[in-house]
Amino acid sequence: RHLLPLFLGLFQASLLLFFALFVTYDEPSAQAEDTSLVANQVYSTFPFFQDIQVMLVVGLGLLLTFLPRYGFSSLTHNFFLLNFSMQWALVLQGLLHHFHHGQIHLDLHKLLISEFAAVTVLISVGAILGRASPCQLLLMATCEIPIYLASEWVIVTRLGVLDVGGTITIHLFSCYFGLGVSKALFRATQPPLHPKETPTPSSDLMSLVGTLILWVFWPSFVAVLCQPGDAQHRAILNTLLAMSASAITTVVASSLLERDGKLSPGHLQNGSLAGGVAIGVVADMAVPPVAALALGSLSAVVCVLGFAFLTPLLARKLTLHDQCGIHNLHGLPGILGAAASVVAVLVASKDTSGSQPAQLSPAGGNASEALEGQRGGGQALCQAAGLAVAVGASLLAGLLTGAALRLPCLARPPERLCFDDSLYFKIRDQAESPGPDSSSEEGALALKE
């Protein structure tokens, strides 16, 4: 009741003070050439930026509405976590990388990089969606952003990993961070199946609309940081091919897994996007179109098989809770994409034409420069090392963060109040949304608990 507005109010007030003291814009240039260059950069980047905004605010928000009684919370928590994480990342990145002469000069590129950092939080939250309070989610975001920035710096800057679409640095990191948080938060017990956890046709339909929005705008997410020209063009084409193949293959795999041949909405909501996750690491490399199609199909297969077999197995053997199946959408396709990047680098090093992958990493470094110093087997080892660092660091950090989320002051909701909007929102039609139980007295006792 009081902790959430207090936390967010203090954060926003501190940010106002920080911006007043240290953040400014670049001085306007009087030279026509510089003005034209800045204008071209804005006009070429902002459409991609807007596409990514639609993806994160609308597409991802709707994707999380598959829980029938938790739609308000899914959309709202996704929205305020995006804004909180983006501002927090903007402060940290400014202090670490862009603090010169007592000032941080803000531009669209820095804001875009901060949004990429915020994406990791939005993905990780999927592992504990519905069973964590907003205060727990805020603490999780507060811890995850600096750990992500450190991990991304090690992977991209120190190891020289090529990952234009964030397959390793974003998808793999956020997946295993979220799973680590879930494991530590729920300890050795698997939460029981909640009666409000089962999707309804209307909630599945809303989630599928979110999938379609993400599917349409995903190429912008992959290509926005590519070098303009051939590399960006190739990234868009490869992403479209991979996602088209994953959409078709998802229908095939889901139909074959069901005895009556019907399609699972959960498979469609996630498998159709798996190609976009896997292709990100090789999107702008000199891979043939058939490789993009094959990677998209394989990623859809592993995603659907993960939902059908691996998730229940992990729940039984490791008591691992994964509410949204982020391991199947981000973890397994991410590992597949990282393995594909190793193969692509080895093949490119043997290409007599000398063509090399040229890309701009999420940190802003030119990957072609990294290849000048490390080619062939050396770069392949770097890709594998980046995969190991992303998985290992995120799991360890997630476990520590999950342990911190168990603090009583963070107001984790009681089991009977999980997956219910009435805990956080004023629901007008109480007849449709009566609360946690049919008895208002029992509901009041649960709220007090």
Side-chain angles (χ1 to χ4, degrees):
R1 182 179 178 183
H2 301 297
L3 188 60
L4 179 65
L6 179 63
F7 186 98
L8 286 178
L10 288 176
F11 169 78
Q12 200 63 59
S14 302
L15 200 77
L16 285 170
L17 181 61
F18 179 82
F19 267 60
L21 295 176
F22 303 113
V23 180
T24 185
Y25 296 115
D26 288 326
E27 293 292 331
S29 175
Q31 296 184 6
E33 299 83 7
D34 295 339
T35 304
S36 177
L37 178 62
V38 172
N40 289 335
Q41 290 175 343
V42 172
Y43 295 145
S44 62
T45 303
F46 190 67
F48 288 107
F49 182 82
Q50 285 290 78
D51 290 351
I52 294 171
Q53 291 281 85
V54 174
M55 282 181 64
L56 301 182
V57 176
V58 184
L60 185 56
L62 289 177
L63 181 65
L64 300 177
T65 60
F66 65 95
L67 298 169
R69 300 280 292 277
Y70 205 68
F72 284 112
S73 301
S74 297
L75 280 167
T76 306
H77 294 168
N78 179 78
F79 184 54
F80 87 73
L81 280 174
L82 170 63
N83 286 279
F84 173 83
S85 303
M86 180 188 67
Q87 294 184 49
W88 180 223
L90 200 61
V91 169
L92 292 179
Q93 289 208 86
L95 291 175
L96 294 174
H97 302 298
H98 310 296
F99 194 74
H100 303 295
H101 307 294
Q103 292 288 325
I104 299 171
H105 292 272
L106 189 63
D107 58 30
L108 186 59
H109 183 265
K110 295 182 180 68
L111 197 64
L112 180 63
I113 298 302
S114 300
E115 286 226 331
F116 274 108
V119 172
T120 61
V121 175
L122 304 185
I123 295 172
S124 299
V125 163
I128 57 174
L129 184 71
R131 280 193 161 96
S133 70
C135 295
Q136 288 177 308
L137 300 181
L138 283 173
L139 179 59
M140 179 177 172
T142 304
C143 297
E144 184 171 2
I145 292 297
I147 298 168
Y148 161 76
L149 294 177
S151 168
E152 192 257 0
W153 178 80
V154 170
I155 292 171
V156 175
T157 305
R158 304 304 299 173
L159 294 178
V161 172
L162 308 179
D163 186 19
V164 68
T167 298
I168 297 173
T169 54
I170 295 177
H171 293 286
L172 277 175
F173 175 89
S174 56
C175 169
Y176 288 99
F177 184 92
L179 294 180
V181 169
S182 176
K183 180 63 179 175
L185 182 59
F186 301 116
R187 289 189 176 173
T189 59
Q190 173 69 10
L193 184 66
H194 200 282
K196 300 171 192 168
E197 198 174 343
T198 305
T200 62
S202 58
S203 66
D204 268 335
L205 180 61
M206 289 294 291
S207 183
L208 188 57
V209 171
T211 296
L212 298 180
I213 293 173
L214 287 169
W215 194 95
V216 169
F217 290 107
W218 202 289
S220 295
F221 182 85
V222 174
V224 63
L225 292 176
C226 288
Q227 293 277 22
D230 289 340
Q232 197 168 65
H233 186 211
R234 187 163 52 241
I236 294 172
L237 293 177
N238 282 334
T239 305
L240 286 171
L241 289 174
M243 298 196 70
S244 180
S246 67
I248 296 296
T249 308
T250 298
V251 175
V252 175
S254 181
S255 180
L256 290 176
L257 282 176
E258 300 293 335
R259 292 183 179 179
D260 54 5
K262 294 182 179 180
L263 303 178
S264 165
H267 295 166
L268 294 177
Q269 292 156 6
N270 294 274
S272 303
L273 304 174
V277 174
I279 196 64
V281 69
V282 297
D284 66 337
M285 294 185 183
V287 296
V290 67
L293 287 171
L295 189 58
S297 295
L298 286 175
S299 62
V301 170
V302 299
C303 178
V304 172
L305 291 179
F307 274 102
F309 302 108
L310 186 58
T311 295
L313 180 65
L314 293 177
R316 286 196 313 270
K317 301 297 185 182
L318 301 179
T319 62
L320 185 62
H321 175 73
D322 183 6
Q323 185 63 49
C324 296
I326 61 173
H327 188 234
N328 306 315
L329 175 55
H330 302 277
L332 298 178
I335 292 174
L336 182 64
S341 72
V342 174
V343 176
V345 168
L346 289 174
V347 171
S349 67
K350 298 176 182 178
D351 188 357
T352 56
S353 65
S355 62
Q356 293 287 354
Q359 65 184 28
L360 198 64
S361 69
N366 193 334
S368 60
E369 295 176 0
L371 277 178
E372 291 298 326
Q374 301 185 46
R375 295 190 177 186
Q379 184 61 40
L381 286 176
C382 288
Q383 298 295 116
L387 169 63
V389 169
V391 173
S394 59
L395 266 178
L396 178 59
L399 289 170
L400 295 175
T401 303
L405 296 189
R406 297 184 62 86
L407 292 172
C409 64
L410 295 177
R412 177 180 164 189
E415 184 63 26
R416 73 175 77 180
L417 290 179
C418 290
F419 308 109
D420 200 315
D421 286 325
S422 62
L423 183 58
Y424 306 112
F425 290 89
K426 288 186 176 181
I427 307 298
R428 296 192 178 214
D429 191 353
Q430 293 295 338
E432 284 187 15
S433 182
D437 293 300
S438 58
S439 168
S440 59
E441 291 81 4
E442 291 183 7
L445 289 174
L447 279 169
K448 186 175 180 182
E449 178 191 347

